[in-house]
Amino acid sequence: VRVRFVRQGATVHYGPAPVDGALWLPANPSIHGMLLARESLTPDARDTEFNGERFLSLFPVGTTIDAGDSPLHSLRSDIVSAAFFFLSRHEEWTCTEFDQFGRFRADAGLLGRRGELDRPVVREYAAVLACGLLSRGVELPRDERYAGHPAAAVMTHDIDYLSKFTPGLVFREVVKNFFFNRRHVNAAERRRRLWEYLQFHRRSRDPYVVSILRMLEIETASGITASWLFKTGGRDKRDVSYRLDSSRARMILRMIREKGHDIGLHPSFHAHDDLPMLQREKKRLDTAAAMQSRSVRQHYLRFRYPATWRNQVAAGFEVDSTLGHAEQEGFRGGTAHPFLPFDLEEGRVLPVWEVPLTVMDGTLAHYRGLDPVQAVERIRELLDLTAQVRGTAVLLFHNTAYDHHDFQGWGGVFEESCRMMSDGRFHTGALPSVVRSWLSSSGYESLPDVMKVINSEPA
């Protein structure tokens, strides 16, 4: 439910007791203090039903108050606190154990433990509220939320490499694969692969460049405008550096810009909690791209709550799409919609839109071990679910899709994903475009307009 703030009258009241003339959402005041404290919470999560709407109840409200004719008098669950629990990322704030890259694991979260990362539960709370409003004669409009479409699907690309002819990969192909035969193939196959690999030193043959050109071509034909996220530095072994002032990079940036796509930053491995590094890298990108970058996704999906979001705000970004799990696709924040993060340490809303990452090619191929056919079906399921809840799906394909040596068949996965995205159900703009359309459908012109409402004193 997109909120419109009005000054006259009370339509919905959230509190421990009802108010005459208002729709009552029961509150559990004891939970409020817990949600603002840095102590791990173990919600009493159970599936519940209200007027035919299934939802995941976290915080029961054991009230005996007579709610009169309030249509939600039998709700008995604090759905506002539940939504806040997921969207504030309270469980990440209080988490003490992370993976080897300092990331919040899928199985560390409530939905991950329940095996329900496919479940955008915040939408369930919105459905309960809509049900209550309808019983009061207030029917929420089912207008097109995203530039004339009921849902949105965003294609994004993290550009980790611009050349497959690098020292590390040369060593792998020549020494490991050719001389030591780590792939365990016959001599003819080893010679064929090495000969093909040596041709990659030519820009027109490099599969990472070929992938970019091919993806741009398919997106143009499909009516898709993507977000392309580039690296501009890095000091870690997991950073593959390339120069944006090289002829190859300049050519690619020019083509992407001329086609009207979004150019954003894919910061280096340590930039997720290093503000000066993030600022330097953004400045380099803005100079090379001859435009102000607004979108960002952290390398390796590294994210530290709330420092990463704070740093993105300070660096001047407007849209982030880091919030996803590397090892499991789905809805990390319990939502399929853009939202503004809440900083639990400082008690304030942060002015950067989070558009959560739904599915990444590397997740399906490497972590989950799916083949291309299975990957297409999994992406189809997630797009169908996003359309059903009228939300936003964010897809990530690296510029390795047409590398037949290491990613055989994944070009077909990308092509089929574009076909499904462009079937008429989705707005297929880039990250900033989706946020603008989401804002516009709620009656707002810009993020500052929203922040004015959030930060204003009640009348």
Side-chain angles (χ1 to χ4, degrees), residues 153 155 157 214-215 217-224 379 383 395 397 402 411-424 426 428:
M155 183 62 76
H157 308 290
R214 183 66 178 141
M215 289 192 292
E217 178 185 347
I218 292 168
E219 287 166 352
T220 299
S222 303
I224 293 171
I379 293 170
L383 287 174
L395 283 64
F397 279 86
Y402 292 92
V413 178
F414 170 75
E415 292 169 17
E416 185 61 19
S417 297
C418 289
R419 189 197 66 76
M420 291 186 287
M421 287 173 58
S422 57
D423 65 5
F426 304 101
T428 55

Side-chain angles (χ1 to χ4, degrees), residues 5 7 444 447-457:
F5 293 92
R7 294 290 184 182
Y444 297 104
L447 176 55
D449 289 340
V450 178
M451 294 305 297
K452 285 178 184 177
V453 175
I454 291 172
N455 294 326
S456 65
E457 294 295 328

Side-chain angles (χ1 to χ4, degrees), residues 260-323:
H261 290 239
D262 173 43
I263 295 176
L265 183 67
H266 190 45
S268 57
F269 186 78
H270 293 287
H272 71 296
D273 61 358
D274 188 327
L275 176 57
M277 181 182 294
L278 184 65
Q279 291 172 321
R280 288 194 300 270
E281 293 180 9
K282 184 180 189 300
K283 184 177 180 180
R284 292 190 199 113
L285 176 64
D286 292 352
T287 299
M291 60 184 291
Q292 288 292 319
S293 56
R294 292 174 290 172
S295 308
V296 63
R297 177 184 292 123
Q298 304 296 145
H299 192 34
Y300 270 66
L301 303 184
R302 299 191 82 199
F303 175 85
R304 185 164 68 86
Y305 181 95
T308 301
W309 275 328
R310 288 181 188 171
N311 290 347
Q312 290 171 350
V313 171
F317 290 105
E318 298 176 12
V319 188
D320 174 62
S321 188
T322 300
L323 210 64

Side-chain angles (χ1 to χ4, degrees), residues 1-7 141 143 439-444 453:
V1 176
R2 293 155 298 152
V3 177
R4 295 176 187 267
F5 293 92
V6 296
R7 294 290 184 182
D143 53 341
L439 275 173
S440 177
S441 69
S442 298
Y444 297 104
V453 175

Side-chain angles (χ1 to χ4, degrees), residues 41-312:
L41 272 176
T42 306
D44 182 19
R46 60 185 66 186
D47 284 317
T48 309
E49 188 173 297
F50 173 79
N51 284 9
E53 294 289 348
R54 171 177 173 258
F55 71 98
L56 184 63
S57 174
L58 301 188
F59 307 118
V61 178
T63 181
T64 58
I65 295 174
D66 181 11
D69 63 351
S70 172
L72 290 182
H73 70 275
S74 62
L75 179 56
R76 299 293 186 265
S77 183
D78 188 340
I79 61 172
V80 175
S81 288
F84 184 83
F85 172 79
F86 285 110
L87 295 180
S88 70
R89 305 312 302 139
H90 184 277
E91 54 190 355
E92 300 197 30
W93 185 41
T94 59
C95 184
T96 57
E97 295 184 7
F98 303 92
D99 72 4
Q100 70 270 33
F101 301 118
R103 300 178 300 201
F104 181 73
R105 300 193 313 271
D107 60 9
L110 175 62
L111 294 179
R113 292 194 300 272
R114 290 172 58 91
E116 293 183 319
L117 278 170
D118 278 15
R119 187 175 179 181
V121 292
V122 175
R123 185 262 181 185
E124 297 173 9
Y125 307 135
V128 169
L129 176 56
C131 181
L133 288 169
L134 184 60
S135 67
R136 297 286 296 257
V138 179
E139 184 173 2
L140 296 176
R142 290 186 61 82
D143 53 341
E144 307 301 5
R145 298 179 170 188
Y146 302 94
H149 296 81
V154 187
M155 183 62 76
T156 66
H157 308 290
D158 291 353
I159 310 301
D160 294 324
Y161 309 87
L162 276 183
S163 172
K164 198 171 183 181
F165 209 75
T166 62
L169 291 175
V170 169
F171 179 81
R172 185 192 72 172
E173 293 298 330
V174 175
V175 178
K176 292 183 177 180
N177 289 342
F178 184 74
F179 288 113
F180 292 108
N181 195 20
R182 293 290 176 84
R183 298 178 63 247
H184 306 292
V185 296
N186 60 44
E189 169 62 18
R190 285 154 59 194
R191 288 194 297 270
R192 183 197 64 78
R193 180 181 172 103
L194 179 61
W195 171 251
E196 288 183 354
Y197 176 76
L198 292 176
Q199 308 309 305
F200 292 164
H201 78 281
R202 296 166 57 189
R203 188 170 73 184
S204 61
R205 293 285 190 92
D206 192 312
Y208 297 161
V209 175
V210 169
S211 290
I212 291 174
L213 300 180
R214 183 66 178 141
M215 289 192 292
L216 273 172
E217 178 185 347
I218 292 168
E219 287 166 352
T220 299
S222 303
I224 293 171
T225 305
S227 286
W228 298 77
L229 305 159
F230 287 85
K231 299 181 69 64
T232 65
R235 62 170 187 257
D236 191 271
K237 65 180 181 180
R238 282 149 293 213
D239 290 314
V240 179
S241 61
Y242 50 82
R243 296 183 61 87
L244 287 183
D245 58 0
S246 68
S247 60
R248 179 176 299 199
R250 290 199 307 271
M251 179 269 293
I252 291 170
L253 286 170
R254 183 178 64 255
M255 289 185 63
I256 292 172
R257 187 173 59 246
E258 288 175 350
K259 290 183 178 295
H261 290 239
D262 173 43
I263 295 176
L265 183 67
H266 190 45
S268 57
F269 186 78
H270 293 287
H272 71 296
D273 61 358
D274 188 327
L275 176 57
M277 181 182 294
L278 184 65
Q279 291 172 321
R280 288 194 300 270
E281 293 180 9
K282 184 180 189 300
K283 184 177 180 180
R284 292 190 199 113
L285 176 64
D286 292 352
T287 299
M291 60 184 291
Q292 288 292 319
S293 56
R294 292 174 290 172
S295 308
V296 63
R297 177 184 292 123
Q298 304 296 145
H299 192 34
Y300 270 66
L301 303 184
R302 299 191 82 199
F303 175 85
R304 185 164 68 86
Y305 181 95
T308 301
W309 275 328
R310 288 181 188 171
N311 290 347
Q312 290 171 350

Side-chain angles (χ1 to χ4, degrees), residues 374-394:
Q374 294 170 321
V376 168
E377 288 308 306
R378 188 69 184 110
I379 293 170
R380 188 191 313 277
E381 291 173 358
L382 291 166
L383 287 174
D384 288 346
L385 178 56
T386 300
Q388 178 185 336
V389 302
R390 295 162 57 83
T392 299
V394 178

